[in-house]
Structures are given as C-alpha cells and as structure tokens.
Amino acid sequence: MFILKGIEQLEKAIAKAKKLRPRVEFDHFGRYRVSGSKGGYYTVICKKSDNGYKTVECTCKGAEKGLVCYHAASALSLHIGLARGRQTA
Ligand SMILES: [Zn+2]
C-alpha cells in the first residue's frame, strides 16, 4: 500500500505499464483487476482515507513493500478518468 501524493510518483510505473500493457478490468468504482506479467490477476484498490489521503493497494509483492507498481499505475489511470467523469456528471 502506498499514499498517492502526486502523478510524478507514478511516472516510472506508468512507463512500465505502457510497455507491458496489462489488462485492466473494472470491478466497481475504486476496485480493479490488473493482469500480471506471469499470468493471473492482481487486485488494486484505490480509496480516500478519512484524513484525505489517497491510498492505493495492490495484492502484488512490490506493493506489499510500499513500491509503486505498474498494476497500480494502470488501475489509477482508469480510476482517475472515472473520478473526473463523476465530478463533471
Ligand atoms: Zn502491483
């Protein structure tokens, strides 16, 4: 799990995601399934904590150590787009 402070944090992970192009499946708002490089899926959960921080959780090993993984970056790009759509709707 990591706290999302800004998009700069995601740059490397986004670059990796663009290269690997994982499949992102929408589960419900804030919850996504992202395909792993060795098959299977990781679950990514994006939420806002009570103190206003945006937190991102992924079930992969890297995220367990607090790293920004490309699964999270992939899910976040979808999540941010959806969140924007909600605000303007
Ligand atoms: Zn991950």
Side-chain angles (χ1 to χ4, degrees):
M1 191 272 271
F2 64 91
I3 295 167
L4 183 68
K5 295 176 188 126
I7 204 86
E8 317 80 55
Q9 224 180 324
L10 298 170
E11 270 172 11
K12 271 189 196 161
I14 287 171
K16 197 171 178 187
K18 278 185 182 158
K19 221 168 156 188
L20 296 169
R21 295 179 173 277
R23 208 165 55 205
V24 183
E25 281 179 16
F26 176 78
D27 194 348
H28 58 77
F29 185 70
R31 192 184 165 101
Y32 310 92
R33 270 192 306 270
V34 183
S35 62
S37 55
K38 287 169 191 149
Y41 278 90
Y42 296 111
T43 302
V44 178
I45 297 164
C46 311
K47 57 186 172 191
K48 225 175 206 172
S49 66
D50 296 336
N51 46 18
Y53 286 118
K54 281 183 188 136
T55 63
V56 185
E57 283 170 45
C58 178
T59 50
C60 77
K61 285 252 163 64
E64 255 173 42
K65 294 178 198 154
L67 298 173
V68 180
C69 60
Y70 73 92
H71 318 114
S74 307
L76 268 170
S77 57
L78 177 63
H79 180 70
I80 290 166
L82 290 171
R84 270 201 201 114
R86 282 197 159 195
Q87 275 161 15
T88 51

